[in-house]
Amino acid sequence: MSIEVRNISKSFGSFRALDNVSLHVEQGELVSLLGPSGSGKTTLLRIIAGLETPDPSQASAVIFDGENLTTLSAKDRGVGFVFQHYALFRHMSVFENIAFGLRVRPKATRPSDDVIKAKVMELLRLIQLENLAERFPSQLSGGQRQRVALARALAIEPRILLLDEPFGALDAKVRQGLRRWLRRLHSEITVTTVLVTHDQDEALEVSDRIVVMNHGKIEQMGTPEEVFHKPANEFVMDFLGQVNLFHARVEGQSRKLMVRPFDLDIVTTKSSDSAVPAKITRINAAGSAVKVELTSEAGDAILVEIPHDKHRGLNLKVGDAVFVSPRESKVFFEDYAI
Amino acid sequence: MMKKALLIGFTVLFLGVFLVIPLGAVLAEAFRKGAGAYFAALQDREALSAIGLTLLCTAIAVPASVIFGVAAAWAVARFRFPGKSLLVTFIDLPFAVSPVVAGLVLVLLFGMQGALGPLMIKSGIRVVFAIPGIILATIFVSFPFVARELIPLMQEQGDEEEQAAMLLGASGWQIFWRVTVPKIRWGILYGVILCSARAMGEFGAVSVVSGHIRGKTNTVPLHVEILYNEYNFVAAFAVASLLVLVALGTLAAKSALEWKVRNEH
């Protein structure tokens, strides 16, 4: 099921949450809406679900597979929705939570109890919680609750799956496990999925495509590689990871130079014109790369990430005077601010 | 240690003087002429009529409080509208105003000289000095209890579960019965207990509109007063002991419910 969002705007009082946003999600894709809080990503998701209505406009529309749903109630859209804080029915067992969407169907289309039971057990196997069917939500961990919420959303065989910061309330370790699990699950059941997150690592890891949003507008759409390596603008570059900002004069003009920490190198002798003298202020060797913090002569803070073997070879210490030089890949931007 | 003992001792003494001794005195007085006189006082025709009227008022006032409470709490917790905080303030009015004033307002409205008096005379419906007035007075003093329990509860719980239910295809009615009511059921019950206690015990507002017609417009508290004024102490205290029983039952039910809710979470 493909999703098409056309010219959607939404204001809350004087606050413009979405400003004429259009978006297309292909059948079977997993697309992330990524942005800081207040960027409009959750509002957009809730408009797709039918929980919010867009500002009235002739041009605006929400379309599933060519069917215009703009005026259809959330009840009838057949959307699977997972909330950040799970929103499980606290007075129902895990089993009844998952069965809810089937039990509330009108008599004519409601499956028999046996069919419901088989379906719920199948979903419990999918989320690996078969033996917790009779538990209540308050007796589950956060990660387990979120898996139940996902199973509940999948029980109605939704046309599309919408996830609102699904792992936002979980701790880092559980979050990582669930991310990979979601990715595997998505390749098994291939339901068109839109995920809202403010966590760039999460978006980069699970998505087929990422939509970067800011101030109610889409800044860039593309694969994780595209948005990470070819950011369309300064905001995207900054939001998708740490960057070092340098002011440089290129051909007589003032330019901003943005470089990721792993695109910088540390050398002990001035190897080229672009090498900048700096002093090491902190070394953190915990992690997959060694993070070296430096201060340039101009007083700017610089962060460089170098591999462990390189770090051992250079024998760096806090206080050392070294040079920071960019590797071949670097990103320039016109300095439109000045 | 000293301070602790003093504080506890003072509290116990205070409660003893102002609560336990009077309650004991009610029972002692009620049984002063033996169990026979006690039960005779309760089986008196006028006493039974007063009990019946009190139960009738409660049976009407409590559902009214539940329906109003759920509707008001839903409106306040789920929607934004102008005048919301004013509405919440007005819900507290029956607690703030003296019940006597509430009774007088009913007399002013529905009495013979009142604003709606001519209409009342024409239609032949008697409100003041009749059962409808007593019921209205009881509703007035007891309606806020359920709303006051539910408003903070529903505000705290939010409506994500209801949204989830809607997205799963549930109709408004299904959402209300299967999701909202189970979420707030203990709050409703708590409100019902307090509301019942107030409805049964109300004196001031009812006294103004009742007219004290024996066997007709007397509720239990009014009946107690009449018996007392007639120096019929045994009967007065026997009937009063019913109200004490209601109070103790209310406290027990309230504690049991609080214990249950605490252990559920």
Side-chain angles (χ1 to χ4, degrees), chain B residues 1-220:
Chain B
M1 257 340 261
M2 221 14 227
K3 276 184 198 154
K4 184 178 160 190
L6 263 173
L7 266 179
I8 294 174
F10 173 72
T11 313
V12 170
L13 191 73
F14 189 92
L15 284 178
V17 170
F18 284 93
L19 282 175
V20 180
I21 292 175
L23 284 183
V26 168
L27 289 177
E29 192 63 32
F31 282 100
R32 198 159 56 88
K33 287 186 184 162
Y38 177 83
F39 286 110
L42 292 186
Q43 280 158 6
D44 174 62
R45 198 182 58 81
E46 283 159 8
L48 287 176
S49 146
I51 293 168
L53 182 56
T54 290
L55 290 178
L56 174 72
C57 287
T58 309
I60 295 172
V62 169
S65 177
V66 170
I67 293 168
F68 168 80
V70 172
W74 192 288
V76 169
R78 299 279 188 266
F79 304 119
R80 268 190 286 181
F81 54 90
K84 187 160 117 173
S85 54
L86 200 68
L87 178 72
V88 175
T89 310
F90 269 120
I91 289 174
D92 281 344
L93 191 67
F95 291 156
V97 76
S98 164
V100 175
V101 176
L104 284 175
V105 168
L106 287 177
V107 173
L108 278 178
L109 269 179
F110 296 105
M112 292 302 164
Q113 322 298 326
L116 300 174
L119 190 73
M120 294 293 113
I121 293 167
K122 226 192 271 166
S123 64
I125 302 170
R126 295 204 55 178
V127 173
V128 173
F129 305 141
I131 291 173
I134 297 173
I135 291 173
L136 285 177
T138 309
I139 291 176
F140 179 85
V141 296
S142 66
F143 80 79
F145 283 97
V146 175
R148 284 185 39 124
E149 277 307 313
L150 291 187
I151 288 171
L153 181 70
M154 288 177 80
Q155 277 173 334
E156 182 218 314
Q157 288 179 337
D159 63 347
E160 274 202 341
E161 287 175 52
E162 279 83 354
Q163 290 179 13
M166 179 164 75
L167 287 158
L168 290 166
S171 66
W173 207 235
Q174 284 173 323
I175 294 172
F176 180 72
W177 286 111
R178 295 184 187 217
V179 178
T180 306
V181 169
K183 266 169 79 180
I184 61 174
R185 59 189 161 180
W186 299 126
I188 294 179
L189 194 53
Y190 198 89
V192 163
I193 290 169
L194 296 180
C195 176
S196 313
R198 180 72 200 260
M200 289 187 202
E202 174 54 26
F203 179 82
V206 170
S207 175
V208 174
V209 294
S210 142
H212 306 266
I213 306 166
R214 284 193 181 204
K216 282 215 171 111
T217 63
N218 251 359
T219 62
V220 171

Side-chain angles (χ1 to χ4, degrees), chain A residues 103-213:
Chain A
R103 293 216 197 276
V104 296
R105 284 197 188 158
K107 264 220 174 73
T109 55
R110 191 189 309 152
S112 71
D113 277 358
D114 289 343
V115 174
I116 290 178
K117 182 155 200 258
K119 177 94 196 167
V120 173
M121 291 320 283
E122 181 198 323
L123 284 161
L124 281 168
R125 267 193 298 282
L126 187 73
I127 60 167
Q128 297 149 11
L129 293 178
E130 294 117 298
N131 46 358
L132 300 185
E134 296 312 314
R135 293 274 183 94
F136 282 85
S138 59
Q139 299 167 308
L140 303 179
S141 72
Q144 289 171 334
R145 286 182 210 185
Q146 200 53 295
R147 280 186 278 162
V148 174
L150 192 63
R152 180 179 70 176
L154 290 173
I156 60 167
E157 288 171 10
R159 306 209 275 180
I160 59 166
L161 187 59
L162 304 176
L163 312 170
D164 185 9
E165 305 253 9
F167 313 133
L170 303 170
D171 54 54
K173 187 83 191 161
V174 179
R175 198 151 69 202
Q176 281 212 325
L178 274 184
R179 256 187 229 164
R180 284 193 208 107
W181 176 79
L182 175 69
R183 191 59 242 185
R184 278 203 308 278
L185 184 78
H186 184 259
S187 52
E188 270 173 49
I189 55 176
T190 59
V191 55
T192 309
T193 302
V194 181
L195 175 137
V196 159
T197 181
H198 64 263
D199 178 342
Q200 74 276 8
D201 292 332
E202 186 169 300
L204 292 169
E205 188 172 329
V206 303
S207 322
D208 294 316
R209 275 196 308 142
I210 294 177
V211 177
V212 185
M213 298 185 66

Side-chain angles (χ1 to χ4, degrees), chain A residues 34-52:
Chain A
L34 173 67
S37 54
S39 60
K41 55 193 191 306
T42 294
T43 306
L44 180 56
L45 195 78
R46 291 173 63 85
I47 284 174
I48 296 173
L51 290 174
E52 304 276 359

